Amino acid sequence: MEVFREAVVDEMLSSPRSRRATALIVTAVAPLLAVFLGSAWAVVGWLAGTSPFWPDPNMTLSEAAGLGNAGEVVRLITLERKDPNRPWPVREGILGAAHDATPLEAAVTGRRQDLIPVLLRYGVVVPDHGAARTLLICRAVDARAPDIVEMLVNLGDRSDPRGGCPPQAN
Amino acid sequence: MVKAAGWRWSWTANAYAVIVALGIGYFVSRNPLQFYDCLGNMLHVQSKDLWGVLVEDFTAKDFLRPLLLAQIDVTFDLANGRYLEMYKSIEVLQLVATALLFVNLLRVRSMTEAFAVPFGIAMLFGSHTISGAIHEAFPINTYLTIVVCCLLAAHLSFGNPARWRDVAAVALFIFAALTVESGLLVWVIFAAAWIVGCRGVSTRALVATTGALVGYFALRFAVLDVGVPPLALRGSAFGFRVLEPPELVARFGQHPSIFYAYNVVSQFLTVLVAEPKGGVWVFTRGVMTGELLPRDVIGVVSSTGATLLIVWYSLSRIGDWRRRVFDHGDRLVLVFVAVLCANAVIGYGYTKDVIVSPAGVFHGLAASIAFAHVLGRFERAASTGVAALAMASVLAVLSAGWATRLIALHYNLHQKAVIVRNDWMLNGPQPSGFGLEINPTGAALARQLYDQAVSMRAAGTYFYPAAGQAWKYFEKPW
């Protein structure tokens, strides 16, 4: 049976009709063969010690915070010793237009409430009072993040500066 | 006797399967060990010896899974501190074993059969029923263990009779049944394969395994009084949303059979048509609300298309089946039907796609047989005209659907790495609720896993090309 089958296949592969049949068969699975190339590339890259399909965009601390990537935030602070209290560039698209922001500001703008305790654990300082605190809370108001507003209002001098936020923020 | 060319196609198919499995393994290896489901189990086995773990699990209520934690205990000790390496290696081995066992059940001996393998492998790893088995580790991926056991059971049944197969069959059943409840499917595979004429596992061994099955129920209900999980144990889906335990009790406390019947039907349908998912009628809801996502369509169309292929194949073979003439492919299709029915029934307690992962795998096997059957028609056709071209185009669309689902698995594994790292970071290096304050060795273990999670970089899918649109096409397993 197998001998017969292979004789048929061998014969078919060499005739024009068999080439058409083969073309149909390849057409039927073409999308899967394309994906296979990706798998093969991943395996080769893995063996070669590179990182195929695992983007390494050199995120800044503030970009990681804005995207809610707590793992990268902690890695950048603890392993790469990045200062969590200074502004870092944020690329366009992550939090709107490209700009500089502190990790805390980025977390607030990105409405990443879960991340704020992580930032506090790793040395981020929330302004106790004054214009910096007002600005941060207004940023949370602007981001329409009431839970973060609540959290920030309960930190520092516990005053509620929302009345002083710019009109567009309300 | 198989000629050299036949073996060449078989080797090609095996190599294809291994490469795809390793490709997934690469993504798995870049995921930290989970926080949820892993840390608790690891702390548990750290604080007890194997005997203690076994005694505790044999006397537990609701679930009889003594070998689940026993496997974790043994591998935990063997890891000798290299837990990430141990558990990631186990999962990669499970993936490769699954792929090889799957492909070898197809008995590829020709070019046509080899070309059906990409379709089968995409169904194997792209299905929503198995993605949970790949994502969810305890830290051993127990549902993947059961998938491997089920495929091994099929190999034992479909092979040539031998004494060692009989011994292995009984041992495999006991191992699988005491690992997790869906391990009982191993017996279903032995029985179904025997009914359709496979004698790799002898009648005597089937009787012995049946005795072990009876023994399992006696042990569970009469000796140990383990019982079954109560209705209120966890939330479960009904209709268009997940109901919390109090809601389940309020709605079905008097008539739980309605809820259980719903679960069985849901598990049955989700394998065949990818709807409902996790018991929730996502596609139907999308149609009704006009919020249908491409991923919902891709899931339903590709699963339904695969099922229609199986139906078409079955209809084309029904004449022989009536005369009780079955070839290898027929037997696989019929065993799939048995596994599907039994798997749906075993999942009566609550709906979770991963429970039907064995049925999903056999769905893939049956569909691969049917797919190869269609490709064979192309070979044998007197002409390759418009009808054949149309059929090839339909198959290409189906392949594209499954290709998308296979890519989605990789995409989600990257996203899962971000989620797992976040779980660790949000809970901190000394998470509460585990008694780590009074357990220095446990605290050291948690710290080690936390530090590993910190160091394993994962930028997230935001940085993939077309990330803004990709999520619409890739179904999520969580």
Side-chain angles (χ1 to χ4, degrees):
Chain A
M1 182 63 184
E2 296 295 335
V3 172
F4 170 73
R5 179 190 286 166
E6 279 160 26
V8 170
V9 170
D10 289 345
E11 183 201 328
M12 289 182 72
L13 284 171
S14 57
S15 71
R17 183 171 67 78
S18 73
R19 280 199 294 274
R20 281 199 295 276
T22 306
L24 287 176
I25 290 170
V26 172
T27 302
V29 295
L32 295 162
L33 297 178
V35 175
F36 173 74
L37 294 179
S39 294
W41 182 245
V43 174
V44 169
W46 191 12
L47 294 173
T50 60
S51 300
F53 306 115
W54 203 266
D56 187 8
N58 287 318
M59 256 191 285
T60 67
L61 193 44
S62 298
E63 286 174 339
L67 289 168
N69 193 328
E72 278 304 286
V73 165
V74 176
R75 190 187 69 79
L76 288 165
I77 296 172
T78 59
L79 298 184
E80 296 202 9
R81 306 280 174 207
K82 304 291 184 194
D83 181 352
N85 285 304
R86 63 154 268 203
W88 295 94
V90 179
R91 276 169 276 191
E92 185 178 353
I94 293 177
L95 295 172
H99 65 290
D100 286 2
T102 66
L104 183 59
E105 290 167 348
V108 168
T109 307
R111 291 186 289 184
R112 308 291 180 178
Q113 188 190 358
D114 288 352
L115 202 64
I116 295 174
V118 177
L119 289 169
L120 297 178
R121 193 193 306 145
Y122 284 95
V124 164
V125 178
V126 180
D128 261 356
H129 60 276
R133 181 172 180 276
T134 302
L135 216 63
L136 193 64
I137 290 171
C138 290
R139 192 183 277 265
V141 171
D142 198 35
R144 292 176 174 79
D147 292 342
I148 297 179
V149 172
E150 199 67 28
M151 180 188 279
L152 294 174
V153 166
N154 285 312
L155 293 172
D157 65 10
R158 302 177 78 91
S159 63
D160 188 345
R162 274 176 280 189
C165 292
Q168 68 267 25
N170 293 310
Chain B
M1 189 73 176
V2 181
K3 274 177 58 179
W7 286 118
R8 204 163 54 228
W9 289 118
S10 175
W11 276 103
T12 305
N14 277 287
Y16 181 97
V18 169
I19 288 170
V20 174
L22 286 176
I24 298 165
Y26 161 71
F27 282 77
V28 164
S29 74
R30 303 212 56 167
N31 269 258
L33 290 179
Q34 284 168 218
F35 174 80
Y36 295 107
D37 295 329
C38 278
L39 179 62
N41 285 345
M42 290 172 79
L43 289 169
H44 185 75
V45 300
Q46 187 189 44
S47 65
K48 282 188 163 53
D49 61 10
L50 180 59
W51 180 248
V53 168
L54 281 171
V55 167
E56 190 174 79
D57 286 347
F58 265 114
T59 52
K61 286 287 164 201
D62 304 334
F63 296 103
L64 182 59
R65 300 170 173 179
L67 295 189
L68 192 156
L69 276 175
Q71 290 160 37
I72 296 168
D73 186 277
V74 170
T75 49
F76 184 87
D77 289 342
L78 287 173
N80 196 25
R82 300 179 74 90
Y83 307 114
L84 181 76
E85 292 85 343
M86 169 60 83
Y87 292 114
K88 292 301 165 185
S89 301
I90 289 174
E91 187 172 359
V92 173
L93 284 174
Q94 284 177 320
L95 289 167
V96 172
T98 301
L100 286 175
L101 290 167
F102 182 95
V103 164
N104 283 286
L105 272 175
L106 295 174
R107 292 193 180 165
V108 174
R109 297 290 183 270
S110 70
M111 181 192 76
T112 315
E113 289 162 351
F115 269 99
V117 166
F119 185 76
I121 290 291
M123 282 192 70
L124 171 65
F125 290 127
S127 170
H128 65 294
T129 59
I130 202 164
S131 61
I134 296 170
H135 281 97
E136 205 174 11
F138 305 108
I140 291 178
N141 298 57
T142 303
Y143 285 104
L144 214 46
T145 304
I146 296 304
V147 163
V148 171
C149 289
C150 288
L151 289 169
L152 277 173
H155 271 276
L156 290 173
S157 291
F158 281 74
N160 295 321
R163 179 69 59 84
W164 71 266
R165 285 180 191 276
D166 290 351
V167 176
V170 178
L172 181 68
F173 171 74
I174 293 170
F175 173 82
L178 294 180
T179 296
V180 70
E181 283 74 6
S182 45
L184 297 174
L185 288 170
V186 165
W187 178 84
V188 174
I189 293 165
F190 290 147
W194 187 88
I195 289 168
V196 294
C198 299
R199 291 294 180 268
V201 172
S202 70
T203 307
R204 205 167 45 187
L206 182 63
V207 170
T209 316
T210 306
L213 177 72
V214 172
Y216 171 88
F217 284 109
L219 186 71
R220 178 164 189 146
F221 295 105
V223 180
L224 300 174
D225 195 24
V226 173
V228 293
L231 189 63
L233 187 71
R234 65 180 83 199
S236 188
F238 192 85
F240 295 120
R241 68 185 185 91
V242 174
L243 304 181
E244 293 306 316
E247 291 176 285
L248 285 174
V249 172
R251 284 180 75 166
F252 303 108
Q254 299 298 314
H255 305 286
S257 54
I258 296 170
F259 174 65
Y260 295 146
Y262 172 85
N263 292 341
V264 171
V265 172
S266 295
Q267 306 277 48
F268 187 85
L269 289 176
T270 199
V271 174
L272 297 177
V273 298
E275 173 79 347
K277 285 213 179 79
V280 178
W281 294 76
V282 178
F283 180 86
T284 309
R285 185 178 61 194
V287 169
M288 288 166 64
T289 60
E291 293 170 355
L292 204 59
L293 287 169
R295 66 186 186 202
D296 303 327
V297 179
I298 290 167
V300 169
V301 168
S302 57
S303 285
T304 307
T307 300
L308 289 175
L309 270 182
I310 298 168
V311 170
W312 169 81
Y313 172 85
S314 304
L315 291 174
S316 73
R317 299 285 304 139
I318 199 93
D320 277 349
W321 291 2
R322 282 196 180 124
R323 294 193 300 277
R324 293 196 59 78
V325 175
F326 305 117
D327 67 15
H328 178 74
D330 299 338
R331 289 183 174 123
L332 272 179
V333 170
L334 292 167
V335 169
F336 155 62
V337 175
V339 172
L340 173 63
C341 295
N343 207 166
V345 170
I346 285 175
Y348 79 95
Y350 58 93
T351 43
K352 195 175 174 190
D353 291 339
V354 73
I355 293 172
V356 284
S357 49
V361 169
F362 279 79
H363 186 231
L365 281 168
S368 303
I369 294 294
F371 197 89
H373 203 66
V374 184
L375 299 187
R377 292 271 174 113
F378 291 152
E379 260 187 2
R380 291 188 295 272
S383 69
T384 48
V386 176
L389 186 63
M391 190 62 203
S393 303
V394 169
L395 292 184
V397 170
L398 197 55
S399 293
W402 282 105
T404 307
R405 295 177 82 176
L406 185 57
I407 296 170
L409 172 68
H410 299 76
Y411 177 89
N412 287 326
L413 278 169
H414 186 116
Q415 195 55 31
K416 177 81 180 194
V418 176
I419 292 169
V420 169
R421 282 180 96 202
N422 278 8
D423 289 340
W424 278 107
M425 301 311 118
L426 300 183
N427 284 284
Q430 192 168 346
S432 58
F434 293 96
L436 296 177
E437 315 77 38
I438 52 163
N439 176 10
T441 51
L445 172 64
R447 181 81 218 194
Q448 178 187 347
L449 300 179
Y450 177 88
D451 288 343
Q452 262 167 352
V454 171
S455 65
M456 294 177 75
R457 301 181 69 169
T461 49
Y462 176 85
F463 293 98
Y464 276 116
Q469 298 296 316
W471 65 274
K472 295 178 188 169
Y473 293 86
F474 298 149
E475 54 192 346
K476 281 199 186 306
W478 52 79

